Amino acid sequence: MMGLRMGQITTVVISSSAVAKQVLQKQDLSFSSRTIPDAIRTNNHHHLSVVFLPVCSLWRSMRKILNSNLFCGNKLDATQHLRSQKMQDFITYCGKCSQTGESVNIGQAAFETMLNLLSNTFFSKDVVDPYGNSGKEFKDVVWDVMEESGKPNFADYFPLLKRIDPQGIRRRIGKHSDKLLQLIGGLIDERLEQRRQSPNGCRTDFLEVMLNTSEEDPQAFDRNHIEHLCLDLFIAGTDTTSSTLEWAMVEVMRKPYIMRKAKAELAEVIGQGKAIVEASVAHLPYLQCIAKETLRLHPPVPILLSKVDQDVEACGYFVPKDSQVLVHVLSIGRDPANWDDPLTFKPERFWDSKIDVRGQDFEIIPFGGGRRICPGIPLAMRTLSIMLGSLLNSFDWKAEGDIAPEDLDVEEKFGVSLARLRPLLAVPIPL
């Protein structure tokens, strides 16, 4: 536990699993507020965002909506057919590339797949066409928001600079989020018109649930809340999953024995080249080990942001009011006190281990912990396992330019998510 003075802000950095457990689980109410980056204040997003709201009645209501209508097991089972179709579209796109010998930009293709997967879950329609420019604006705007959000901002460390936004980050992200909110608003308008024309329609997607909730209590949950909740979900659910899949593919391709072992398991359980259904993931323990090891070594969000609203004592240290608290997830996952040979990618370390990624084992907390834990863990784990398994079970893979497996780079680029410095371009080879 380390105290720093970053500009005018007192910052506490936590980089051990024991201290992370203390503040995220045992004292999570004291540490449950969020640091609000200046860029997030555009469009008053921090007042409507389930990610940045303090623990309050609105936050609890929005979390309840998510947990009850989007991320619970029976709802995920009911929408499984949507994810299966998007995975098939993903594999079909890779198949066309394999026929022509073209490489696949794994991160970009996964990002577009996640956009369409989420948009089908929310709105029952695609927003991106991987073969054309349909939906390109939607994709580009989400990318732009993520890029700007990940830039270091002087205004976050010198509050007097917030008035002038010296780097222009808030202005630029405001333009991007305006576009995204307009696009989301257009989809909502389209649905409202459909409801007017067909009042007895039988839509069951997440937008329908939110509109019904808003009609029941418009003062507590209105259209503005719906738009900003969709914005949260698109931003949180696309780049994180696609970058994690890209890291998983890089690590598997770097070590051919891991790819062979995963393929052998898939062939035995599923059948070579066959589509994977979500129920099969429970019978693919080595694939699950690969997913966990990827999340350990390359967590999608390397640092968790929080703050304290009052003076707090933690682990014998005094943490003053308004301190920014950074939980260094990346460092914890690579801590030699917790992991043997921590910088080596070894899925086998999870083979006989009960350690999981769902916030109870603080040696690996890619989704956070405590009451602010990411509610989308069930969807994220299903999606990551299915996407990775589908790619490995449908094709062999080699790096573009015949780069030797061991020469694939693993350089990192820090931002909101832990992305690769250079995209993975991989050529799918028919089995």
Side-chain angles (χ1 to χ4, degrees), residues 16 45 77 137 139 189 214 236 253 293 337 339 420 423:
S16 85
H45 184 59
D77 290 343
E137 183 182 12
K139 178 186 69 175
D189 287 336
S214 179
M253 290 173 64
E293 179 69 345
W339 306 98
R420 285 176 45 76

Side-chain angles (χ1 to χ4, degrees), residues 237-392:
T238 50
D239 187 66
T240 50
T241 304
S242 59
S243 65
T244 303
L245 176 71
E246 189 174 19
W247 278 118
M249 283 295 291
V250 167
E251 295 289 4
V252 167
M253 290 173 64
R254 289 181 77 230
K255 296 192 172 182
Y257 88 89
I258 294 178
M259 184 179 288
R260 288 195 297 271
K261 195 169 178 179
K263 281 178 167 288
E265 180 183 71
L266 287 160
E268 181 180 347
V269 176
I270 306 296
Q272 188 182 77
K274 292 184 178 179
I276 304 173
V277 296
E278 291 180 2
S280 301
V281 173
H283 306 291
L284 297 166
Y286 192 65
L287 184 68
Q288 293 180 62
C289 289
I290 294 173
K292 290 179 182 178
E293 179 69 345
T294 304
L295 289 164
R296 179 194 70 83
L297 195 57
H298 307 288
V301 180
I303 294 176
L304 303 176
L305 297 176
S306 63
K307 63 175 283 193
V308 292
D309 293 325
Q310 57 187 12
D311 295 343
V312 178
E313 183 177 320
C315 299
Y317 293 97
F318 173 73
V319 181
K321 178 183 177 181
D322 293 330
S323 294
Q324 173 178 253
V325 181
L326 308 180
V327 180
H328 205 312
V329 176
L330 181 67
S331 177
I332 291 171
R334 300 180 182 187
D335 187 349
N338 297 328
W339 306 98
D340 294 329
D341 196 11
L343 298 182
T344 299
F345 188 85
K346 293 194 298 187
E348 293 78 10
R349 72 173 81 241
F350 287 100
W351 189 256
D352 293 316
S353 172
K354 295 182 179 179
I355 292 178
D356 201 8
V357 299
R358 298 175 188 270
Q360 297 302 310
D361 303 295
F362 283 81
E363 298 88 348
I364 174 171
I365 46 172
F367 302 103
R371 71 188 65 206
R372 299 303 297 241
I373 194 169
C374 173
I377 296 174
L379 177 59
M381 292 306 294
R382 289 188 187 211
T383 305
L384 176 61
S385 299
I386 290 292
M387 292 179 86
L388 177 62
S390 297
L391 291 177
L392 297 179

Side-chain angles (χ1 to χ4, degrees), residues 159-210:
L160 288 174
L161 297 178
K162 292 180 187 289
R163 295 182 180 180
I164 60 174
D165 187 23
Q167 294 159 268
I169 291 176
R170 189 175 66 243
R171 291 191 294 277
R172 289 194 297 275
I173 210 169
K175 292 179 182 177
H176 299 321
S177 60
D178 279 345
K179 289 181 182 177
L180 195 51
L181 288 169
Q182 287 171 9
L183 291 165
I184 292 170
L187 293 168
I188 295 173
D189 287 336
E190 185 178 306
R191 174 61 55 81
L192 290 172
E193 181 60 29
Q194 291 172 357
R195 283 162 65 106
R196 278 191 288 270
Q197 293 181 2
S198 184
N200 298 319
C202 55
R203 295 277 188 183
T204 58
D205 56 25
F206 189 55
L207 177 58
E208 200 72 11
V209 169
M210 289 191 289

Side-chain angles (χ1 to χ4, degrees), residues 79-98:
T79 55
Q80 179 180 336
H81 65 286
L82 295 175
R83 293 188 293 281
S84 296
Q85 182 57 55
K86 294 306 108 183
M87 293 304 154
Q88 189 54 53
D89 292 346
F90 186 28
I91 296 304
T92 300
Y93 171 72
C94 293
K96 291 183 182 297
C97 291
S98 74

